[in-house]
Amino acid sequence: MGNVGTEVVRILREHSEDLRSRVGAPVVLRGVAVRDLATDRGIPAALLTTDADALVARDDVDLVVEVIGGIDPPRRLILAALNAGKSVVTANKALLADYTGELAAAAERNRADLYFEAAVAGAIPVVRPLIQSLAGDRVNRVVGIVNGTTNFILSAMDETGADYADTLAEATRLGYAEADPTADVEGFDAAAKAAILASLAFHTRVTAADVYREGISKISSEDLETASALNCTVKLLAICERVAAGPGEPSPEEGGKERVSVRVYPALVPRKHPLAAVSGAFNAVVVEAENAGRLMFYGQGAGGAPTASAVLGDLVMAARNKFYGGRAPGESVYAELPIAPIGDTPTRYHVNLQVEDRPGVLAAVAGEFAKHGVSISTVRQEGHGTGARLVVVTHHALESALADTVAALAEMESVTSITSVLRLEGTEE
Amino acid sequence: MGNVGTEVVRILREHSEDLRSRVGAPVVLRGVAVRDLATDRGIPAALLTTDADALVARDDVDLVVEVIGGIDPPRRLILAALNAGKSVVTANKALLADYTGELAAAAERNRADLYFEAAVAGAIPVVRPLIQSLAGDRVNRVVGIVNGTTNFILSAMDETGADYADTLAEATRLGYAEADPTADVEGFDAAAKAAILASLAFHTRVTAADVYREGISKISSEDLETASALNCTVKLLAICERVAAGPGEPSPEEGGKERVSVRVYPALVPRKHPLAAVSGAFNAVVVEAENAGRLMFYGQGAGGAPTASAVLGDLVMAARNKFYGGRAPGESVYAELPIAPIGDTPTRYHVNLQVEDRPGVLAAVAGEFAKHGVSISTVRQEGHGTGARLVVVTHHALESALADTVAALAEMESVTSITSVLRLEGTEE
């Protein structure tokens, strides 16, 4: 009975008549596992227990909602429930990102349901659309803002011009960031969700370890200024996309396999892109599919009541299945696409350099890009008295070539410093 | 094999391996009913027949996709399929708006599936989220742009300043409007979709006849100018919402029932509202629910491939159910909320009046609003030499009071003419 659990219990109790009508049978709350029994939670004490394992094992329990978070005990409890043929609804992205295979196999073996709409983007239906609505389509790309804390911080930095540390402190004060914000600001939370989204979109098992990850803690107020000057903002994006087969591998036309690139990092996003308008703690996910085209899903990605809404939707479906004999769609990983390393992923760079203010520097810098096969989109030179500033935006190139270029630039004598390197996403060219 | 059917057949043939993997068994195209056999459709002639009834009745057909449109023969064919225990996927909004009850009962009786994601907003998953994802929540309002033709026309009028007739002609030339555009421009198509959305959102059977409907054919370039001056645009909206119990009826707190208001009309929408940014032939649906908060779904609402994407998603789910023994959720109409007449619906009016240019007119006009109990938000007076113009925006009031006010204004001696009356939606106040 944390933030989400409290709301789940409230809805179960307040809307029991509606839920009964929707399921076709009453939904009865058999018990709630809590950490301590002393706190008054406004529900009958007889419903509370500290022994979660015993609660899950009870004969009169046929559906388990897990909103504890973390790997254990949730993994043990969910496996116990599934192995006993009980259906499970969970919001646990960290667990799913690493153990969906194990959990889905247990569900399959025991003909039980495993639902997890609430694990990604809170109340926003995105898991179910990917599994069901797009089951006959071919998803090419999923790009989302799936972490409310970082989006709140980046939106505030964009609006106020404040720096990262002050904005994080303010977010913590307002309850948008946890006391230890690492999981959010370093992108671990978004990476777990990206792994889940990529698994569903590409019918391939993707775990958190497959996700390239950078957080927002190095984003400066200068980065936001630079973004504004380019008519962009900065967003922490979760990106899942198909990329070409590896070098030397057969192409898909030759019977080879495309690969999957899954990554989380802060990036420049043009202000006219639909994701740029997603501000504060809101989430949004853009799905691009061969036939459906571009879809966008927008809403509240976190919070007790919104997450509970997603949990309850799953709970009603799981309960209906119990009553009418249906089954949730199982895991689909038949495509088994290989994961592309970050170096093989095409992206665009925006590089900000302090250089010596003398003729020939621009040509030398441009030459370094050319040497690595990176095509430049625009260069802007700004004089600054003691030196000059070069702002370079590239066309799409492989991440490895871009990273090598930046490393080489850092070695150049005429380059005083590299003040920022940001990727640019959401552009066609 | 019209626009959508051709795409469904193409995807079935091009992606048969993927579909097999996703269903767990091969999806085999047994036949296609067409109007004439002479046209070369690029598929084996043996698959084609002009006898749809015989095709549906065949023993080797266990799943029927209906993308014909209109009431009959689709109604007869779908009932025949369901009564034979065959699952049906349809994109037929006109049929569903009036006959969901009959079709759902046949599906229920025969333990067959009836899926219809493609009937509302093309590729955008909105039917499934309402039925499944929000099954544990309480939806308060659904507001959508669900007709691409009218949104294309209104967007173009907004951008170019052209009048309605010229813009409709251009839309027809470009293929965005049909030769007979009545169903789109008079709001019949949107009303059918509104009936389906309201039925799902409120667990109440709503048919097209329950939907109050006004089209866009009376919208003028002056209306768009007026909208711009108010920092608004004009959109054809489908609005489904809960409204208070009828006058004299017990309130929900007293055991009475809320009512459902379902309406389609062009309305002013503030430019900062998310629906204002939905331009061209795109669709978007905003769902407001008690716990989930505000969700938005955006994408391509029509066209062969996007609609086929929705059909194929349903087809894979229906085929999986055949194979694994699952069932689509049936119709849920337990709430049986009464439909509120349009007069009992709260809305806001924007009224544009030509009045005599003499002292006291503004006071007299304002007095007429007060007499009907309508509170005014803003009045702007503009001198025009031969007369003056009054622009009045009201607060929320019952539609009947607003309509009565406008009728009374038309009778006033000092009012030369009422040049436009538009509703204003998407504002909190």
Side-chain angles (χ1 to χ4, degrees):
Chain A
M1 283 191 80
N3 199 9
V4 178
T6 301
E7 291 296 319
V8 169
V9 168
R10 177 185 64 77
I11 299 169
L12 277 174
R13 290 163 59 88
E14 281 180 11
H15 292 292
S16 61
E17 278 312 306
D18 274 334
L19 294 171
R20 172 207 286 261
S21 300
R22 295 180 192 185
V23 168
V27 180
V28 181
L29 181 62
R30 292 299 191 195
V32 185
V34 295
R35 213 168 267 150
D36 74 286
L37 296 172
T39 313
D40 178 11
R41 300 168 197 271
I43 62 169
L47 286 174
L48 301 178
T49 173
T50 54
D51 189 346
D53 294 271
L55 179 59
V56 166
R58 268 169 58 172
D59 283 343
D60 61 347
V61 166
D62 52 13
L63 208 153
V64 173
V65 172
E66 185 273 307
V67 285
I68 305 171
I71 304 300
D72 265 314
R75 180 182 169 202
R76 181 183 77 233
L77 294 167
I78 292 176
L79 282 172
L82 294 172
N83 284 329
K86 302 173 185 197
S87 291
V88 171
V89 176
T90 174
N92 194 327
K93 62 236 161 200
L95 179 65
L96 289 160
D98 282 342
Y99 295 98
T100 292
E102 181 187 45
L103 304 180
E108 185 63 33
R109 240 183 1 254
N110 298 286
R111 303 188 62 78
D113 289 348
L114 175 67
Y115 280 109
F116 52 91
E117 181 65 70
V120 182
I124 310 171
V126 56
V127 167
R128 187 169 273 107
L130 279 171
I131 294 178
Q132 299 192 28
S133 309
L134 291 160
D137 209 332
R138 180 186 152 89
V139 175
N140 290 317
R141 183 186 287 139
V142 180
V143 183
I145 294 171
V146 294
N147 180 272
T149 304
T150 49
N151 203 51
F152 177 87
I153 293 171
L154 292 172
S155 299
M157 288 175 72
D158 190 30
E159 278 160 33
T160 64
D163 71 12
Y164 171 75
D166 286 350
T167 313
L168 171 60
E170 178 70 2
T172 309
R173 200 182 63 77
L174 293 170
Y176 286 107
E178 295 186 43
D180 175 0
T182 311
D184 291 317
V185 301
E186 296 303 345
F188 291 99
D189 173 82
K193 293 166 178 168
I196 296 169
L197 290 172
S199 301
L200 303 178
F202 305 127
H203 300 270
T204 289
R205 194 169 294 148
V206 179
T207 65
D210 297 322
V211 182
Y212 177 80
R213 180 191 50 76
E214 292 177 22
I216 66 161
S217 57
K218 293 199 186 77
I219 296 294
S220 65
S221 53
E222 288 76 23
D223 288 331
L224 269 304
E225 265 173 48
T226 300
S228 267
L230 292 162
N231 209 17
C232 288
T233 186
V234 177
K235 293 294 185 190
L236 183 71
L237 299 180
I239 304 171
C240 318
E241 64 184 351
R242 295 178 190 268
V243 299
E249 297 290 317
S251 73
E253 292 72 33
E254 296 162 343
K257 277 185 173 178
E258 284 183 312
R259 291 178 296 170
V260 166
S261 164
V262 192
R263 50 202 204 268
V264 168
Y265 47 59
L268 296 169
V269 176
R271 290 219 186 262
K272 63 170 198 276
H273 191 281
L275 288 177
V278 177
S279 63
F282 278 82
N283 280 196
V285 178
V286 171
V287 178
E288 294 171 20
E290 188 176 285
N291 296 302
R294 182 193 271 184
L295 302 169
M296 184 161 108
F297 305 86
Y298 170 90
Q300 295 189 57
T307 307
S309 171
V311 167
L312 264 290
D314 281 352
L315 188 151
V316 168
M317 285 303 114
R320 284 186 60 95
N321 289 343
K322 287 271 171 206
F323 191 64
Y324 290 106
R327 284 281 302 287
E331 192 187 24
S332 174
V333 290
Y334 72 92
E336 293 181 332
L337 299 180
I339 308 295
I342 182 69
D344 287 6
T345 299
T347 181
R348 298 180 69 180
Y349 265 29
H350 164 277
V351 186
N352 225 320
L353 304 160
Q354 292 289 344
V355 295
E356 288 176 15
D357 193 4
R358 57 173 173 78
V361 172
L362 195 155
V365 165
E368 204 57 51
F369 280 89
K371 204 188 291 175
H372 290 88
V374 175
S375 167
I376 290 174
S377 169
T378 60
V379 190
R380 209 172 67 243
Q381 182 157 216
E382 293 167 2
H384 268 291
T386 58
R389 198 164 79 123
L390 281 185
V391 179
V392 183
V393 180
T394 75
H395 285 299
H396 273 100
L398 289 192
E399 172 76 26
S400 55
L402 291 160
D404 289 350
T405 308
V406 170
L409 291 172
E411 297 297 311
M412 284 176 72
E413 211 167 291
S414 51
V415 172
T416 320
S417 68
I418 297 172
T419 48
S420 99
V421 179
L422 284 168
R423 294 181 189 83
L424 172 59
E425 296 284 343
T427 61
E428 286 309 309
E429 180 18 25
Chain B
M1 283 193 79
N3 199 11
V4 178
T6 301
E7 292 296 320
V8 170
V9 169
R10 176 186 64 76
I11 298 169
L12 278 174
R13 291 162 59 86
E14 281 180 11
H15 292 292
S16 60
E17 278 311 306
D18 273 334
L19 294 171
R20 173 206 287 260
S21 300
R22 295 179 192 184
V23 169
V27 181
V28 181
L29 180 63
R30 292 297 190 195
V32 186
V34 295
R35 212 168 266 149
D36 75 285
L37 297 172
T39 313
D40 178 10
R41 301 168 196 270
I43 62 168
L47 286 175
L48 301 177
T49 173
T50 55
D51 190 345
D53 295 271
L55 178 60
V56 166
R58 268 169 58 173
D59 282 343
D60 60 348
V61 167
D62 52 13
L63 207 154
V64 173
V65 172
E66 186 272 309
V67 285
I68 304 171
I71 304 301
D72 266 314
R75 180 181 169 204
R76 183 182 76 233
L77 294 167
I78 291 175
L79 282 173
L82 294 171
N83 285 329
K86 302 173 184 198
S87 291
V88 171
V89 176
T90 174
N92 195 327
K93 62 235 161 200
L95 179 66
L96 289 160
D98 283 342
Y99 295 98
T100 292
E102 181 187 45
L103 304 180
E108 186 62 34
R109 240 182 2 254
N110 298 285
R111 304 189 62 79
D113 288 347
L114 175 67
Y115 279 110
F116 51 93
E117 181 64 72
V120 181
I124 311 171
V126 56
V127 168
R128 186 170 274 108
L130 279 172
I131 295 178
Q132 299 191 28
S133 308
L134 291 160
D137 209 331
R138 178 186 153 89
V139 176
N140 290 318
R141 186 186 285 138
V142 180
V143 182
I145 294 172
V146 294
N147 180 272
T149 303
T150 48
N151 203 51
F152 178 88
I153 292 171
L154 293 172
S155 298
M157 288 175 73
D158 190 30
E159 278 161 33
T160 65
D163 71 13
Y164 171 75
D166 286 352
T167 312
L168 171 60
E170 178 71 2
T172 310
R173 200 181 63 76
L174 294 171
Y176 286 106
E178 294 187 43
D180 175 359
T182 311
D184 291 317
V185 300
E186 296 303 345
F188 291 99
D189 173 82
K193 292 166 178 167
I196 296 169
L197 290 173
S199 301
L200 303 178
F202 305 127
H203 301 270
T204 289
R205 194 170 291 147
V206 179
T207 66
D210 296 322
V211 183
Y212 176 80
R213 178 190 51 73
E214 292 176 22
I216 65 161
S217 57
K218 292 197 187 79
I219 296 294
S220 65
S221 52
E222 288 76 24
D223 287 332
L224 269 304
E225 266 173 48
T226 299
S228 267
L230 293 162
N231 210 16
C232 288
T233 186
V234 177
K235 294 293 184 191
L236 182 72
L237 299 180
I239 304 172
C240 318
E241 63 183 353
R242 294 178 191 269
V243 298
E249 298 288 319
S251 73
E253 291 72 32
E254 297 162 344
K257 276 184 175 180
E258 284 185 312
R259 292 179 295 171
V260 166
S261 164
V262 193
R263 51 202 204 267
V264 168
Y265 47 60
L268 296 169
V269 177
R271 288 218 188 266
K272 63 170 197 277
H273 191 281
L275 288 176
V278 177
S279 64
F282 279 82
N283 279 196
V285 178
V286 171
V287 178
E288 293 171 21
E290 188 176 286
N291 297 302
R294 183 193 269 183
L295 302 169
M296 185 163 107
F297 306 85
Y298 170 90
Q300 296 189 57
T307 308
S309 171
V311 167
L312 264 290
D314 282 351
L315 189 150
V316 168
M317 285 303 114
R320 283 185 61 96
N321 289 344
K322 287 271 172 206
F323 191 64
Y324 290 105
R327 283 284 298 289
E331 192 187 24
S332 174
V333 290
Y334 71 93
E336 293 181 332
L337 300 180
I339 308 295
I342 181 72
D344 288 6
T345 299
T347 179
R348 299 181 70 181
Y349 267 29
H350 165 276
V351 185
N352 225 321
L353 305 159
Q354 291 289 343
V355 295
E356 287 176 14
D357 193 4
R358 58 173 173 79
V361 172
L362 195 155
V365 165
E368 205 56 52
F369 279 89
K371 203 186 293 173
H372 289 86
V374 175
S375 167
I376 290 175
S377 168
T378 61
V379 191
R380 208 172 67 244
Q381 181 157 218
E382 294 168 359
H384 268 292
T386 59
R389 199 162 78 125
L390 282 184
V391 179
V392 183
V393 180
T394 75
H395 285 298
H396 274 102
L398 289 191
E399 172 75 26
S400 56
L402 291 161
D404 289 351
T405 309
V406 171
L409 292 172
E411 297 298 311
M412 286 175 71
E413 212 169 287
S414 52
V415 172
T416 319
S417 69
I418 296 173
T419 48
S420 98
V421 179
L422 285 167
R423 294 180 189 84
L424 172 59
E425 296 284 345
T427 61
E428 285 311 306
E429 177 25 21

